[in-house]
Amino acid sequence: MDKVCAVFGGSRGIGRAVAQLMARKGYRLAVIARNLEGAKAAAGDLGGDHLAFSCDVAKEHDVQNTFEEMEKHLGRVNFLVNAAGVNRDSLLVRTKTEDMVSQLHTNLLGSMLTCKAAVRTMIQQQGGSIVNVGFVHTDMTKHLKEEHLKKNIPLGRFGETLEVAHAVVFLLESPYITGHVLVVDGGLQLML
């Protein structure tokens, strides 16, 4: 099986760290982001013949077109990483409805649409891996009040993107692990 991986949200943060690690391991990558220039920069930094695509994961037509283009230029995608996301952190009473909708469309619907597109191909080739990623300390979360949040994490710090990338690649390369939620949170769940 070819090692073709689509990394949605691959231009920054966790997605970029995953793409960097996977490129070093010999995967052929599609780096996908809303911003094509950002995706091109991230793919270019990887060396090799990795490709960049622009896609709004909240739009099914965009997702379908992106998978068609990836298959045309890289071959069938057999590894999918969903690291695309938006954060509209605010108190519920201050959160605008359009921000809630945007967050749901990108973070939830987007992951569902990319999984739907990938699973079609994976069923045909009788195999593949999908990892959906949460968040750690990245540009998307830099405005959060860290000191208060870090007090609740037993390790006393936020995770780094490369630490999550290692967990993602572990899951992708472990064919007998399926339907599993791997919590990479510095022990935060121990405190809940």
Side-chain angles (χ1 to χ4, degrees):
M1 181 186 316
D2 285 339
K3 292 167 64 170
V4 177
C5 181
V7 182
F8 284 83
S11 66
R12 325 181 296 164
I14 296 169
R16 190 173 190 141
V18 168
Q20 290 168 342
L21 185 57
M22 295 184 81
R24 287 196 299 263
K25 291 176 134 299
Y27 287 80
R28 294 173 55 215
L29 296 166
V31 176
I32 305 112
R34 274 191 192 153
N35 179 305
L36 183 58
E37 293 308 312
K40 284 181 179 178
D45 287 347
L46 300 175
D49 59 351
H50 308 290
L51 299 179
F53 297 93
S54 173
C55 179
D56 181 347
V57 295
K59 297 179 179 171
E60 188 168 16
H61 189 261
D62 267 18
V63 171
Q64 289 173 345
N65 286 343
T66 301
F67 270 86
E68 289 170 11
E69 288 298 309
M70 287 187 291
E71 190 167 318
K72 189 186 312 179
H73 297 287
L74 288 171
R76 288 187 174 171
V77 172
N78 37 40
F79 297 93
L80 168 64
V81 176
N82 280 314
V86 295
N87 185 26
R88 305 283 191 262
D89 187 53
S90 183
L91 292 175
L92 183 60
V93 296
R94 291 188 206 152
T95 304
K96 296 177 185 173
T97 301
E98 57 267 20
D99 286 342
M100 291 181 207
V101 170
S102 170
Q103 201 166 2
L104 284 170
H105 281 184
T106 300
N107 298 357
L108 178 61
L109 180 62
S111 291
M112 293 172 75
L113 291 173
T114 57
C115 287
K116 179 181 175 181
V119 165
R120 287 184 181 134
T121 298
M122 292 176 183
I123 288 171
Q124 290 173 353
Q125 60 191 13
Q126 298 182 336
S129 296
I130 298 172
V131 175
N132 296 310
V133 178
F135 73 88
V136 291
H137 190 216
T138 65
D139 286 344
M140 187 175 82
T141 61
K142 69 182 175 189
H143 68 282
L144 298 177
K145 293 179 176 58
E146 291 184 23
E147 292 310 311
H148 172 70
L149 295 172
K150 284 196 280 192
K151 289 178 187 174
N152 296 319
I153 300 172
L155 288 183
R157 64 178 179 82
F158 283 114
E160 296 297 327
T161 56
L162 186 58
E163 292 171 316
V164 177
H166 282 288
V168 169
V169 173
F170 166 75
L171 289 172
L172 290 172
E173 294 182 337
S174 301
Y176 205 65
I177 295 176
T178 187
H180 183 71
V181 175
L182 177 62
V183 179
V184 183
D185 69 355
L188 182 61
Q189 280 201 335
L190 298 172
M191 307 305 291
L192 300 177

